[in-house]
Amino acid sequence: MRQIPITALTPGMVTAEDIVSYDHVTIVPKGIILTDNIISRLEGYSIYYAQIEDDLIVDLSTPMANSAILMQDAAIANLYSPDDPARDSTTNRQFQRFSQSFARCAEHYENNLMKSLYRGEPFRSNELLKETLALLYQDKQGVSVFDMLLNMHNAEDSVYNHCIDVALISNVLARWLNFSEADQMMATACGLFHDVGKFMLPTGVLRKPGKLTPDEFEIVKTHTTEGFHLLGRYSSIPEPVKNAALMHHEKCDGSGYPYGLSGDEIDKFSKIVTIADIFDAMTSERVYRAAMCPFSVIKYFEDDGIQKYEIRYILTFLENVSNSYLNHRVTLSNGMEGNVIFINPDNFSQPVIRTENNEIIDLQKSYYQSMLQLSNKKNISIEAII
């Protein structure tokens, strides 16, 4: 048995001891064959080391290994039932602490920005950034930021809430990309202030309870340049943060706005904020539409054309965000419920589901079969994460 850093784990290694979170919950049991899915999941739990069996590497290309992995993923998914009272109690306490801290952070953001804009008081951007970063580290218990945000989204979400959401998601994506700690902090700041230009727009347009007209949308698009000029008033704001306000609607293929920039013309932090911004906006409820299921948003990214985004960034995001919902309970479009037990590496939006009746449904296989058969039968998909 040897202790291996999480960053050095490779698929095929076998766990020699249970891998547990800070609150002593078993995440991966002893004797499990590590896969890319499991390793990615561990990286989201702030776990740094794992005990691994000496000189034992399983060849994952064999049919026997594939069968064993499918069975063990189902076993991991069943480790803690969604109805487990202990798990529910812990999660509820964590969510309450997170949501209370989040609400205070949003209130401080609003008060500080309004006093700066209308009373000429200093804009305490560094204090707001520190308070936002504290949301990530208030609990060392491995709770997913995506779980917390998913539970908080509602139609009353303000621009402040959205900015904090995007800051947290940008931080997580920067970590997944192995950015330095300084760059992780910069990505967080870029997300936190990316939409400040919206406060310079007419209130009637910004808070319209419905879809915008083409003319109104043209007004909303000016929030990018307005944000850039607003942040330019403050000497303490770094250039990448100003650029993120300006460029977070630009796309790598030149199809974005306000300038139709492409490729390397777009700041790297802006590319991160673009992905975080779209994911949060689409998984949030609006007056004119319901929140989309995260797996539907993952499919949107896949269908939208990954050439619109920095390829390494979007593939890293889709792989890791889909893995963050591994073992989660979901509702399918056919009315059945089940647990996500495996993420298909070739199609992140179509995972493998284990239903309440122990039926294994491969949504990727179901999707391709419905396409090939040209049938009128509606393809099975994930409707919601429970």
Side-chain angles (χ1 to χ4, degrees):
M1 181 173 66
R2 55 203 167 111
Q3 181 173 271
I4 300 289
I6 295 297
T7 53
L9 295 177
T10 59
M13 289 180 171
V14 178
T15 55
E17 291 183 355
D18 291 351
I19 301 176
V20 299
S21 65
Y22 281 96
D23 57 343
H24 308 295
V25 172
T26 299
I27 301 168
V28 179
K30 175 182 177 180
I32 290 295
I33 304 168
L34 295 181
T35 63
D36 285 326
N37 285 338
I38 295 174
I39 293 170
S40 295
R41 185 163 174 77
L42 286 172
E43 290 173 349
Y45 274 89
S46 299
I47 294 170
Y48 302 104
Y49 296 96
Q51 299 295 333
I52 299 299
E53 295 286 0
D54 287 322
D55 304 320
L56 178 57
I57 299 289
V58 176
D59 183 357
L60 301 184
S61 65
T62 65
M64 184 176 294
N66 287 334
S67 177
I69 288 168
L70 196 58
M71 291 177 64
Q72 74 177 25
D73 283 343
I76 292 173
N78 253 356
L79 260 181
Y80 290 91
S81 163
D83 299 323
D84 184 347
R87 173 181 169 177
D88 285 347
S89 177
T90 299
T91 302
N92 287 338
R93 287 196 302 271
Q94 291 166 336
F95 176 71
Q96 287 172 1
R97 286 196 294 269
F98 181 89
S99 59
Q100 289 168 359
S101 298
F102 188 103
R104 285 195 298 269
C105 187
E107 182 181 359
H108 294 163
Y109 191 163
E110 180 177 10
N111 290 340
N112 189 262
L113 182 60
M114 291 300 103
K115 288 178 180 178
S116 176
L117 288 177
Y118 300 113
R119 298 184 187 176
E121 295 185 14
F123 184 43
R124 306 185 188 283
S125 57
N126 286 336
E127 292 180 16
L128 293 173
L129 177 58
K130 288 178 181 177
E131 189 172 5
T132 302
L133 287 167
L135 292 170
L136 292 164
Y137 306 114
Q138 66 173 2
D139 270 319
K140 293 188 175 180
Q141 295 183 328
V143 172
S144 169
V145 164
F146 294 93
D147 285 344
M148 296 294 103
L149 298 184
L150 188 65
N151 287 324
M152 289 178 60
H153 285 156
N154 58 67
E156 299 302 319
D157 274 355
S158 67
V159 176
Y160 304 103
N161 289 22
H162 172 63
C163 285
I164 297 171
D165 290 352
V166 173
L168 298 177
I169 296 171
S170 296
N171 178 281
V172 173
L173 177 51
R175 278 192 280 134
W176 286 340
L177 291 166
N178 295 316
F179 278 22
S180 67
E181 287 190 16
D183 279 356
Q184 291 173 29
M185 186 174 294
M186 183 63 73
T188 312
C190 288
L192 187 59
F193 303 116
H194 79 286
D195 255 356
V196 293
K198 287 186 174 177
F199 299 108
M200 309 305 290
L201 302 181
T203 303
V205 173
L206 184 62
R207 297 182 180 177
K208 181 180 178 180
K211 289 186 177 180
L212 302 173
T213 66
D215 287 343
E216 289 169 338
F217 183 58
E218 289 301 315
I219 294 173
V220 168
K221 286 166 68 174
T222 65
H223 79 278
T224 53
T225 51
E226 292 286 358
F228 179 79
H229 293 308
L230 172 58
L231 294 175
R233 300 180 188 178
Y234 308 106
S235 59
S236 60
I237 300 294
E239 203 65 27
V241 178
K242 300 173 190 175
N243 286 337
L246 181 66
M247 301 179 184
H248 66 276
H249 284 287
E250 300 284 5
K251 299 291 175 59
C252 288
D253 64 352
S255 63
Y257 67 85
Y259 300 124
L261 303 179
S262 62
D264 292 339
E265 294 177 315
I266 306 171
D267 184 277
K268 70 176 184 179
F269 296 105
S270 299
K271 293 174 180 177
I272 286 178
V273 171
T274 296
I275 295 169
D277 179 40
I278 293 172
F279 184 84
D280 183 69
M282 296 183 77
T283 54
S284 299
E285 187 174 344
R286 294 291 181 262
V287 173
Y288 53 87
R289 64 158 173 81
M292 291 177 63
C293 169
F295 280 101
S296 297
V297 180
I298 292 169
K299 189 174 189 308
Y300 165 82
F301 277 116
E302 292 173 338
D303 293 345
D304 191 41
I306 58 175
Q307 71 274 10
K308 292 186 178 182
Y309 311 94
E310 184 69 30
I311 187 69
R312 184 169 74 92
Y313 294 6
I314 190 61
L315 289 180
T316 297
F317 179 77
L318 295 181
E319 178 181 5
N320 283 279
V321 78
S322 58
N323 275 311
S324 74
Y325 297 113
L326 192 63
N327 301 341
H328 280 52
R329 195 161 187 80
V330 297
T331 301
L332 301 179
S333 55
N334 62 2
M336 300 176 72
E337 292 185 2
N339 284 10
V340 178
I341 64 171
F342 182 77
I343 302 297
N344 282 307
D346 298 325
N347 198 335
F348 301 121
S349 63
Q350 308 288 340
V352 177
I353 308 298
R354 181 175 182 267
T355 70
E356 295 173 303
N357 300 324
N358 289 326
E359 179 184 355
I360 302 298
I361 300 178
D362 186 338
L363 296 183
Q364 177 176 249
K365 187 179 294 184
S366 168
Y367 175 77
Y368 287 137
Q369 284 177 345
S370 67
M371 294 288 287
L372 290 171
Q373 294 170 0
L374 300 177
S375 67
N376 293 324
K377 184 178 180 181
K378 188 176 180 181
N379 176 55
I380 300 174
S381 61
I382 297 176
E383 288 288 293
I385 295 175
I386 304 174

